[in-house]
Amino acid sequence: MSKPTFLQSSGAPPFVDRHYPKATELLQHWDGEKKLDGTTIIGVPLSKPSISHSGASFTPGVVRKLMQSYSTYAVEGEVDLRDSTVLLDAGDIHMHATDIKESYRRIEETVTIILGENKECIPLFIGGDHSISYSTLKAMNEVKTGKIGVIQFDAHHDLRNTEDGGPTNGTPFRRLLEAGVLKGEHLVQVGIRNYSNSAYYHQYAMENGINVYTMADVKKNGIGEVIRETVEYLKDKVEHIYLSIDIDVLDQAYAPGCPAIGPGGMTSEQLLEAIYLLGKEESICGLDIVEIDPTIDFRDMTSRVAVHCLLDFLRGRSVLNR
């Protein structure tokens, strides 16, 4: 029996224009055998450790679906991502239904295997809440040759103690520091803002040598200058740079689907500029995008920012691939 002409695959876009290639066409599903050379999406659907209500486990699927809402072409620079970009999709890491520590172990095991066998892979982790960053970075630290530095876009320090609530989405960088996976001087936090942190944790950041750019710094110096300074600072200390993008770095006007919304944050334009600039840096070894809850979002506004973060990162990489 031949397939009927008008029968589409499930999830296919409802409308197709032959002259309007969609971003979803960049995705190449991994068969488990082909080498993962280059940028690779890996879903990390874990949100149970969140200290606030979160449905961030649904985000990987929503982000993939929304890629069919955008084209592969950037008017600025006249760049078509199809000309220089391979975007592999390795699928989602399967989480344990009730055991959070087992879920962390699965993340670490999966990332260790993938990166251990695919040295040229640049993972793009789609969370999930921010607790996943501990496991992704711990695994990457085990397989990468050389030191890894982190640029963390966030309203919060995420340096909470683990005694009061265990490993949550407020503790990943505290845990990384205490485990010796990451040095304080190798962590740069961008977008930290008022009334989202306590004096105790801000002091902890200072005492541990973390380089902090507040929203006041971003507004005063401009995001371009902040990124330039950050990259120059880390290049003298580490061989690789990892980006951790907590979407609550954005002002609540741009991220209604974030569990920890608040005023006074970045605009989506500032964040996308930063991600594009960092995409052009050869030392970037991977990134995560976390803290988006599609169940409370409005018209997928917040998940759409995540899609644009991916596309602008790829646009930056295209400069390197020319």
Side-chain angles (χ1 to χ4, degrees):
M1 176 181 174
S2 59
K3 182 179 178 180
T5 303
F6 302 110
L7 187 63
Q8 290 183 311
S9 300
S10 59
F15 177 75
V16 176
D17 182 329
R18 71 190 70 185
H19 301 300
Y20 192 98
K22 295 178 180 290
T24 192
E25 295 174 29
L26 297 172
L27 287 174
Q28 298 182 15
H29 294 282
W30 186 44
D31 59 7
E33 298 180 2
K34 181 181 177 181
K35 274 288 184 181
L36 293 172
D37 292 333
T39 47
T40 303
I41 287 180
I42 302 174
V44 192
L46 179 66
S47 57
K48 287 182 178 174
S50 178
I51 60 177
S52 55
H53 168 80
S54 177
S57 57
F58 297 107
T59 305
V62 173
V63 166
R64 288 185 181 95
K65 179 180 178 182
L66 287 172
M67 289 187 73
Q68 71 183 26
S69 299
Y70 299 99
S71 79
T72 60
Y73 185 69
V75 175
E76 298 172 11
E78 299 183 349
V79 175
D80 194 323
L81 295 178
R82 294 178 303 165
D83 296 336
S84 58
T85 299
V86 173
L87 181 59
L88 294 158
D89 186 351
D92 293 350
I93 301 173
H94 181 62
M95 299 298 157
H96 194 280
T98 58
D99 190 334
I100 292 173
K101 289 185 179 180
E102 169 61 15
S103 292
Y104 289 147
R105 191 198 65 77
R106 292 182 182 186
I107 297 169
E108 292 167 27
E109 178 183 302
T110 304
V111 175
T112 299
I113 292 172
I114 288 177
L115 297 187
E117 298 178 358
N118 301 273
K119 302 297 185 183
E120 302 303 314
C121 177
I122 300 175
L124 311 178
F125 300 108
I126 311 298
D129 67 39
H130 215 162
S131 72
I132 71 166
S133 299
Y134 172 82
S135 297
T136 58
L137 278 163
K138 184 171 181 286
M140 291 184 75
N141 186 64
E142 291 176 1
V143 297
K144 285 286 185 184
T145 301
K147 297 183 289 293
I148 300 176
V150 178
I151 301 176
Q152 172 193 352
F153 294 90
D154 209 323
H156 310 89
H157 289 300
D158 283 356
L159 296 169
R160 291 177 184 263
N161 73 82
T162 55
E163 289 81 4
D164 289 332
T168 69
N169 61 337
T171 66
F173 295 100
R174 175 71 166 263
R175 295 174 66 210
L176 288 165
L177 293 175
E178 291 181 346
V181 175
L182 182 66
K183 290 184 177 180
E185 63 179 12
H186 297 165
L187 173 59
V188 181
Q189 299 182 326
V190 180
I192 300 298
R193 66 180 186 257
N194 293 339
Y195 315 118
S196 295
N197 302 277
S198 70
Y200 178 88
Y201 292 120
H202 184 67
Q203 189 61 34
Y204 181 92
M206 298 299 99
E207 291 173 354
N208 281 273
I210 297 170
N211 197 352
V212 175
Y213 286 90
T214 66
M215 271 310 301
D217 296 322
V218 172
K219 287 183 283 188
K220 178 182 177 181
N221 301 321
I223 192 63
E225 179 61 19
V226 168
I227 296 305
R228 187 194 67 77
E229 290 179 2
T230 296
V231 171
E232 288 303 312
Y233 168 81
L234 285 175
K235 273 185 175 178
D236 291 337
K237 295 176 171 58
V238 300
E239 286 71 41
H240 312 284
I241 299 176
Y242 179 93
L243 311 180
S244 188
I245 307 164
D246 186 327
I247 216 71
D248 71 27
V249 75
L250 294 176
D251 187 277
Q252 61 189 5
Y254 302 92
C258 174
I261 61 172
M266 281 189 193
T267 66
S268 55
E269 181 182 14
Q270 288 172 315
L271 179 60
L272 294 175
E273 179 184 351
I275 302 308
Y276 167 67
L277 292 173
L278 289 164
K280 294 192 288 184
E281 296 295 331
E282 199 163 2
S283 57
I284 303 300
C285 64
L287 63 77
D288 64 51
I289 303 175
V290 296
E291 297 295 338
I292 299 173
D293 182 352
T295 69
I296 59 172
D297 208 0
F298 176 72
R299 296 195 64 190
D300 294 319
M301 282 176 61
T302 317
S303 295
R304 291 173 190 272
V305 176
V307 173
H308 277 252
C309 283
L310 292 175
L311 296 178
D312 270 337
F313 180 77
L314 295 175
R315 181 164 66 99
R317 299 313 280 181
S318 72
V319 175
L320 295 175
N321 297 332
R322 288 176 187 170

